[in-house]
PDB file of all heavy atoms in Angstrom:
ATOM      1  N   VAL C 256      -5.101  -3.183  17.181  1.00  0.00           N
ATOM      2  CA  VAL C 256      -4.207  -4.015  16.255  1.00  0.00           C
ATOM      3  C   VAL C 256      -4.408  -3.463  14.831  1.00  0.00           C
ATOM      4  O   VAL C 256      -5.513  -3.317  14.401  1.00  0.00           O
ATOM      5  CB  VAL C 256      -4.667  -5.475  16.353  1.00  0.00           C
ATOM      6  CG1 VAL C 256      -3.977  -6.321  15.283  1.00  0.00           C
ATOM      7  CG2 VAL C 256      -4.370  -6.028  17.717  1.00  0.00           C
ATOM      8  N   VAL C 257      -3.278  -3.111  14.233  1.00  0.00           N
ATOM      9  CA  VAL C 257      -3.319  -2.562  12.864  1.00  0.00           C
ATOM     10  C   VAL C 257      -2.688  -3.560  11.915  1.00  0.00           C
ATOM     11  O   VAL C 257      -1.537  -3.868  11.959  1.00  0.00           O
ATOM     12  CB  VAL C 257      -2.578  -1.193  12.869  1.00  0.00           C
ATOM     13  CG1 VAL C 257      -2.605  -0.617  11.433  1.00  0.00           C
ATOM     14  CG2 VAL C 257      -3.197  -0.168  13.827  1.00  0.00           C
ATOM     15  N   LEU C 258      -3.507  -4.053  10.924  1.00  0.00           N
ATOM     16  CA  LEU C 258      -3.073  -4.978   9.964  1.00  0.00           C
ATOM     17  C   LEU C 258      -3.546  -4.606   8.565  1.00  0.00           C
ATOM     18  O   LEU C 258      -4.653  -4.132   8.394  1.00  0.00           O
ATOM     19  CB  LEU C 258      -3.687  -6.378  10.339  1.00  0.00           C
ATOM     20  CG  LEU C 258      -3.399  -6.912  11.775  1.00  0.00           C
ATOM     21  CD1 LEU C 258      -4.200  -8.193  11.955  1.00  0.00           C
ATOM     22  CD2 LEU C 258      -1.965  -7.121  12.026  1.00  0.00           C
ATOM     23  N   GLU C 259      -2.668  -4.818   7.570  1.00  0.00           N
ATOM     24  CA  GLU C 259      -3.146  -4.788   6.183  1.00  0.00           C
ATOM     25  C   GLU C 259      -3.765  -6.112   5.825  1.00  0.00           C
ATOM     26  O   GLU C 259      -3.316  -7.178   6.214  1.00  0.00           O
ATOM     27  CB  GLU C 259      -1.951  -4.540   5.236  1.00  0.00           C
ATOM     28  CG  GLU C 259      -1.258  -3.231   5.494  1.00  0.00           C
ATOM     29  CD  GLU C 259       0.154  -3.182   4.757  1.00  0.00           C
ATOM     30  OE1 GLU C 259       1.120  -3.784   5.324  1.00  0.00           O
ATOM     31  OE2 GLU C 259       0.208  -2.687   3.608  1.00  0.00           O
ATOM     32  N   PRO C 260      -4.797  -6.112   4.965  1.00  0.00           N
ATOM     33  CA  PRO C 260      -5.398  -7.368   4.588  1.00  0.00           C
ATOM     34  C   PRO C 260      -4.364  -8.272   3.878  1.00  0.00           C
ATOM     35  O   PRO C 260      -4.203  -9.399   4.167  1.00  0.00           O
ATOM     36  CB  PRO C 260      -6.449  -6.937   3.594  1.00  0.00           C
ATOM     37  CG  PRO C 260      -6.876  -5.592   4.022  1.00  0.00           C
ATOM     38  CD  PRO C 260      -5.560  -4.895   4.514  1.00  0.00           C
ATOM     39  N   VAL C 261      -3.637  -7.699   2.921  1.00  0.00           N
ATOM     40  CA  VAL C 261      -2.423  -8.321   2.357  1.00  0.00           C
ATOM     41  C   VAL C 261      -1.269  -7.381   2.608  1.00  0.00           C
ATOM     42  O   VAL C 261      -1.251  -6.289   2.149  1.00  0.00           O
ATOM     43  CB  VAL C 261      -2.573  -8.562   0.819  1.00  0.00           C
ATOM     44  CG1 VAL C 261      -1.339  -9.111   0.228  1.00  0.00           C
ATOM     45  CG2 VAL C 261      -3.775  -9.519   0.522  1.00  0.00           C
ATOM     46  N   GLN C 262      -0.353  -7.872   3.341  1.00  0.00           N
ATOM     47  CA  GLN C 262       0.839  -7.017   3.801  1.00  0.00           C
ATOM     48  C   GLN C 262       1.716  -6.696   2.587  1.00  0.00           C
ATOM     49  O   GLN C 262       2.187  -7.510   1.831  1.00  0.00           O
ATOM     50  CB  GLN C 262       1.681  -7.646   4.882  1.00  0.00           C
ATOM     51  CG  GLN C 262       2.739  -6.770   5.323  1.00  0.00           C
ATOM     52  CD  GLN C 262       3.501  -7.330   6.554  1.00  0.00           C
ATOM     53  OE1 GLN C 262       2.906  -7.884   7.501  1.00  0.00           O
ATOM     54  NE2 GLN C 262       4.822  -7.236   6.607  1.00  0.00           N
ATOM     55  N   ASN C 263       1.967  -5.368   2.380  1.00  0.00           N
ATOM     56  CA  ASN C 263       2.696  -4.840   1.326  1.00  0.00           C
ATOM     57  C   ASN C 263       4.189  -5.110   1.540  1.00  0.00           C
ATOM     58  O   ASN C 263       4.855  -5.930   0.742  1.00  0.00           O
ATOM     59  CB  ASN C 263       2.487  -3.382   1.162  1.00  0.00           C
ATOM     60  CG  ASN C 263       3.450  -2.615   0.264  1.00  0.00           C
ATOM     61  OD1 ASN C 263       3.825  -3.171  -0.727  1.00  0.00           O
ATOM     62  ND2 ASN C 263       3.790  -1.436   0.686  1.00  0.00           N
ATOM     63  N   SER C 264       4.786  -4.501   2.459  1.00  0.00           N
ATOM     64  CA  SER C 264       6.293  -4.546   2.706  1.00  0.00           C
ATOM     65  C   SER C 264       6.689  -5.960   2.982  1.00  0.00           C
ATOM     66  O   SER C 264       6.147  -6.603   3.900  1.00  0.00           O
ATOM     67  CB  SER C 264       6.682  -3.589   3.751  1.00  0.00           C
ATOM     68  OG  SER C 264       8.030  -3.536   3.961  1.00  0.00           O
ATOM     69  N   GLY C 265       7.716  -6.428   2.303  1.00  0.00           N
ATOM     70  CA  GLY C 265       8.132  -7.816   2.435  1.00  0.00           C
ATOM     71  C   GLY C 265       7.652  -8.576   1.224  1.00  0.00           C
ATOM     72  O   GLY C 265       8.215  -9.696   0.974  1.00  0.00           O
ATOM     73  N   GLY C 266       6.591  -8.112   0.541  1.00  0.00           N
ATOM     74  CA  GLY C 266       6.184  -8.748  -0.602  1.00  0.00           C
ATOM     75  C   GLY C 266       4.859  -9.521  -0.587  1.00  0.00           C
ATOM     76  O   GLY C 266       4.857 -10.720  -0.722  1.00  0.00           O
ATOM     77  N   CYS C 267       3.782  -8.800  -0.433  1.00  0.00           N
ATOM     78  CA  CYS C 267       2.387  -9.319  -0.602  1.00  0.00           C
ATOM     79  C   CYS C 267       2.109 -10.637   0.132  1.00  0.00           C
ATOM     80  O   CYS C 267       1.991 -11.732  -0.426  1.00  0.00           O
ATOM     81  CB  CYS C 267       2.191  -9.619  -2.130  1.00  0.00           C
ATOM     82  SG  CYS C 267       2.294  -8.146  -3.195  1.00  0.00           S
ATOM     83  N   PHE C 268       2.122 -10.560   1.505  1.00  0.00           N
ATOM     84  CA  PHE C 268       1.837 -11.599   2.339  1.00  0.00           C
ATOM     85  C   PHE C 268       0.344 -11.783   2.418  1.00  0.00           C
ATOM     86  O   PHE C 268      -0.312 -10.944   3.110  1.00  0.00           O
ATOM     87  CB  PHE C 268       2.425 -11.432   3.738  1.00  0.00           C
ATOM     88  CG  PHE C 268       3.964 -11.203   3.717  1.00  0.00           C
ATOM     89  CD1 PHE C 268       4.518 -10.495   4.795  1.00  0.00           C
ATOM     90  CD2 PHE C 268       4.746 -11.811   2.791  1.00  0.00           C
ATOM     91  CE1 PHE C 268       5.852 -10.312   4.770  1.00  0.00           C
ATOM     92  CE2 PHE C 268       6.097 -11.627   2.822  1.00  0.00           C
ATOM     93  CZ  PHE C 268       6.703 -10.872   3.830  1.00  0.00           C
TER      94      PHE C 268
END
Side-chain angles (χ1 to χ4, degrees):
V256 171
V257 178
L258 307 173
E259 296 167 279
V261 175
Q262 183 173 316
N263 166 40
S264 183
C267 300
F268 301 152

